[in-house]
Amino acid sequence: MSDALLTVQGLKKSFRRGLLSKPVDVLKGVSFEVPPGTITGFLGANGAGKTTTIKCLLGLAIPDQGEIRFFGRHELSPEVKARIGFLPERPYFYEYLTGREFLRFYGQLGGRFSASHLRDRIEKLLDRVGLKHAADRPLRSYSKGMLQRIGIAQALVYEPEFIILDEPMTGLDPDGRYEVSEIIRETAKSGTAVFFSSHLLPDAEKLCDRLVILKKGELAYQGPTVDFLGKTGGGYQLVTAKDGKVQTEDCSSLEELNRRIDERRAEKANIIEVRANRLTLEEAFVRIGMEQR
Amino acid sequence: MTRSYFHPVAIIAANTFREIIRDRILYGIVVFALLLFGLSLALGQLSFAEQARISADFGFTGIQLSAVVLAIFVGGALVSREIEKQTVLTVLAHPVTRTQFIIGKFLGLALVIVVVMSGLTLALLALVISLGLEITRAFFTAVFGIWLEACVLMSIAMFFGSFCRPMMTVIFSMSFFLIGHWVGTLDFFVEKSRSVPFRMVAGTVARVVPDLERFNWRSAPIYAVDVPIAEVIRSIVYASGWVLALIAVTSLIFRRRDFV
């Protein structure tokens, strides 16, 4: 028996766009695992099949073929759902509810907590996502970032062991992205495993221990983030200044970067900036030859 | 804490109730019914002897139209709006089955109709008592009949709403409402007609459309006659049969749906 939180085996799903059209294969036998205690980034370009996979995981789309197991061996059931939190791609929520009513509604659906426990839990969550000040305002008055944060709070309302976030950073400004990243980090620190999808490698690079990468409905990579970045490293840029002259150098590896820093320091140059070159997902695919697939 | 099958149903029903109560369309419907009451008062003035009866008749029509509009227009959009706005994704990712979701939505609207009808019934009672109409059990039986009809129409609208576009849902549901009040007449013509195709088509229609006249007891309080309890019980069983069958088929359709 696997001790993975989530095991997906040979997942296939196709859709018809119209009654007479040919079915389009969106997932072509995807298999992967999510181990406990990790932040796993679920990456892929737009249209790679990430949202369809997540919908299949949660029973929102019915797979044509394949097996999905949670917490070792369980199929999706109301009991399993009570151990999982979910934030959909676009946070469309009941806009007539206030933030507090919204969390109470979802908290009551699980029926796991007494009324007083749920009340305390909601107050803690509102505090954690920084929305106590807006708790009694209807959701229709919330900004995109606030909706994303209240959405994450709803995903955490049952104190789940595992949360699935579909594109939690999409459409957010830099402040919003930072806030959501911090919430994800804190959630993982408290022991909840996080599985979140994104089409941006830098988002995942900063947060994730592991990556699962889809390309055109097939698994392109699964494993530790460091291994993936090791294969696809974009190198570094070192910016130094000496006698008023600024110099920028490219270093292809961490070793080269450290050697150049030592050399420039020995030359009494000032280190102005060190930056890692960020790759897009497509560039990373090109580097490791996945574009041939 | 252990939870019963009906716990999430009750939570979804309560949320549906809140959703509709906070929707402005509801108040438009109530105002329309109250205007109809006012019109009945004005028309009643034309007939000195029958004023109370005319007002009661118009009043029941106002209550019926409000309940029917709520059942068809709001009921038809109950599920489709959740799918369109994608709010269904978050709800169904929680410990709720699709059948529980459908039953909860149905009960939430049924409760709204009870509340709206109760308010309108109180207003009508005040009106007809002031005009001197004697209030008997038949008055409340007539209102109960309207609610039963609304429940059947609501389940029809939810059934069509689970796979049709909103406009088609309203057209189909309105057709069921109109034909449903003519099933008896249709049966009569089927018996009398010599045309085989007509008998086949009209006979089939009369079988697949619920007979809504079974719930029409609105003339009983106006003419001070009572509705036999056995007839009321038969109508409750008839309405329950239709509602259960339609909710079952709706949840079967809903259970096979992909939310993309």
Side-chain angles (χ1 to χ4, degrees):
Chain A
M1 193 178 84
S2 162
D3 64 350
L5 280 183
L6 169 66
T7 309
V8 177
Q9 280 291 333
L11 189 64
K12 288 187 181 175
K13 179 70 187 170
S14 58
F15 290 111
R16 279 180 198 278
R17 304 290 175 210
L19 268 180
L20 300 173
S21 62
K22 257 181 72 180
V24 178
D25 293 329
V26 179
L27 300 175
K28 303 165 187 168
V30 173
S31 302
F32 64 89
E33 283 196 347
V34 176
T38 56
I39 304 181
T40 303
F42 187 38
L43 298 182
N46 289 326
K50 303 185 297 293
T51 295
T52 302
T53 304
I54 288 176
K55 284 181 177 173
C56 288
L57 298 182
L58 293 162
L60 301 169
I62 300 153
D64 299 335
Q65 214 177 306
E67 200 179 69
I68 298 166
R69 291 278 182 269
F70 289 93
F71 309 111
R73 62 192 168 84
H74 302 282
E75 283 186 15
L76 192 69
S77 64
E79 291 71 32
V80 167
K81 283 183 186 175
R83 298 167 67 186
I84 303 171
F86 170 57
L87 173 74
E89 184 179 1
R90 284 178 291 267
Y92 291 131
F93 302 131
Y94 297 116
E95 54 184 26
Y96 53 87
L97 296 179
T98 66
R100 189 173 273 116
E101 285 172 341
F102 173 75
L103 294 181
R104 192 182 309 127
F105 167 62
Y106 286 108
Q108 285 174 336
L109 267 186
R112 262 177 98 168
F113 302 141
S114 65
S116 62
H117 185 158
L118 182 60
R119 231 181 351 258
D120 292 345
R121 177 83 186 138
I122 288 169
E123 293 312 309
K124 267 186 207 155
L125 282 170
L126 285 168
D127 207 26
R128 185 158 161 193
V129 299
L131 285 174
K132 223 161 189 176
H133 66 285
D136 294 315
R137 271 167 45 192
L139 296 189
R140 71 169 67 91
S141 71
Y142 279 31
S143 68
K144 179 98 199 282
M146 290 164 85
L147 282 174
Q148 207 72 305
R149 284 186 280 151
I150 199 80
I152 293 177
Q154 110 7 83
L156 295 171
V157 75
Y158 304 143
E159 298 174 8
E161 294 157 56
F162 181 36
I163 60 167
I164 299 173
L165 311 173
D166 194 1
E167 300 272 3
M169 318 262 198
T170 301
L172 297 183
D173 58 21
D175 285 349
R177 294 165 89 85
Y178 175 76
E179 282 165 7
V180 170
S181 303
E182 284 306 297
I183 295 169
I184 291 175
R185 259 195 206 104
E186 282 169 28
T187 303
K189 223 184 269 178
S190 68
T192 301
V194 181
F195 181 71
F196 83 90
S197 73
S198 176
H199 58 278
L200 302 170
L201 186 56
D203 278 349
E205 192 187 320
K206 285 180 216 150
L207 282 169
C208 300
D209 315 307
R210 289 176 57 82
L211 297 177
V212 172
I213 303 180
L214 286 192
K215 187 169 167 66
K216 293 179 183 167
E218 290 178 272
L219 185 77
Y221 175 83
Q222 78 163 323
T225 308
V226 285
D227 288 1
F228 184 76
L229 295 176
K231 285 181 192 169
T232 63
Y236 303 87
Q237 277 196 330
L238 174 64
V239 185
T240 55
K242 191 182 173 192
D243 304 328
K245 195 178 159 201
V246 177
Q247 188 181 341
T248 303
E249 300 167 72
D250 287 318
C251 305
S252 59
S253 67
L254 205 55
E255 292 75 30
E256 189 187 344
L257 173 71
N258 283 320
R259 186 169 48 75
R260 285 301 298 146
I261 289 174
D262 291 343
E263 286 169 9
R264 296 295 287 153
R265 293 290 296 148
E267 293 163 12
K268 304 266 189 256
N270 290 313
I271 309 293
I272 306 290
E273 190 180 359
V274 176
R275 49 176 181 249
N277 292 329
R278 298 277 181 237
L279 292 181
T280 65
L281 202 54
E282 287 308 315
E283 284 168 337
F285 285 150
V286 171
R287 289 234 174 168
I288 59 174
M290 284 177 188
E291 84 284 8
Q292 307 300 337
R293 292 171 70 103
Chain B
M1 271 178 79
T2 53
R3 40 178 250 151
S4 76
Y5 180 85
F6 286 100
H7 174 85
V9 172
I11 302 297
I12 288 171
N15 191 52
T16 305
F17 179 83
R18 185 162 37 198
E19 175 184 1
I20 302 166
I21 288 291
R22 291 183 185 180
D23 196 332
R24 279 186 210 136
I25 190 174
L26 181 71
Y27 301 99
I29 292 167
V30 171
V31 167
F32 166 76
L34 291 174
L35 284 175
L36 216 56
F37 287 6
L39 181 69
S40 76
L41 208 55
L43 284 174
Q45 299 287 334
L46 300 175
S47 165
F48 180 74
E50 301 290 323
Q51 189 178 6
R53 285 179 180 179
I54 290 173
S55 295
D57 202 10
F58 261 81
F60 283 130
T61 305
I63 295 174
Q64 187 201 16
L65 286 182
S66 310
V68 168
V69 167
L70 269 172
I72 292 180
F73 285 85
V74 180
L78 267 187
V79 176
S80 58
R81 191 157 66 170
E82 292 261 2
I83 297 168
E84 192 186 305
K85 292 195 164 186
Q86 301 200 11
T87 43
V88 71
L89 299 181
T90 325
V91 178
L92 293 181
H94 283 266
V96 179
T97 65
R98 295 187 185 196
T99 303
Q100 286 170 325
F101 178 78
I102 293 287
I103 298 172
K105 297 300 281 182
F106 175 86
L107 292 179
L109 179 54
L111 193 60
V112 171
I113 296 178
V114 166
V115 170
V116 169
M117 284 181 63
S118 302
L120 292 176
T121 302
L122 283 177
L124 182 62
L125 264 177
L127 180 72
V128 295
I129 287 173
S130 72
L131 294 172
L133 188 80
E134 191 191 342
I135 301 301
T136 61
R137 197 183 65 202
F139 184 94
F140 300 100
T141 311
V143 174
F144 180 63
I146 295 172
W147 183 73
L148 286 180
E149 179 184 350
C151 287
V152 173
L153 285 171
M154 199 187 351
S155 54
I156 290 170
M158 284 181 74
F159 164 71
F160 285 118
S162 66
F163 62 91
C164 289
R165 291 181 181 279
M167 183 59 86
M168 296 313 291
T169 299
V170 169
I171 291 171
F172 288 143
S173 306
M174 285 303 286
S175 307
F176 268 66
F177 169 66
L178 295 173
I179 298 170
H181 281 285
W182 287 90
V183 167
T185 315
L186 206 58
D187 267 336
F188 173 79
F189 283 119
V190 167
E191 268 176 36
K192 300 288 172 196
S193 173
R194 287 184 195 157
S195 158
V196 176
F198 175 80
R199 287 170 67 115
M200 269 179 64
V201 174
T204 309
V205 170
R207 293 290 160 273
V208 298
V209 174
D211 180 3
L212 299 178
E213 276 299 305
R214 278 172 174 254
F215 313 117
N216 185 358
W217 299 310
R218 292 189 294 279
S219 56
I222 294 167
Y223 297 105
V225 289
D226 218 351
V227 183
I229 289 290
E231 189 184 326
V232 175
I233 292 172
R234 272 198 302 274
S235 296
I236 293 173
V237 172
Y238 183 75
S240 307
W242 272 100
V243 167
L244 289 176
L246 285 163
I247 292 287
V249 177
T250 305
S251 32
L252 265 180
I253 296 169
F254 198 60
R255 276 161 64 179
R256 299 170 65 89
R257 246 193 112 129
D258 285 325
F259 300 111
V260 287

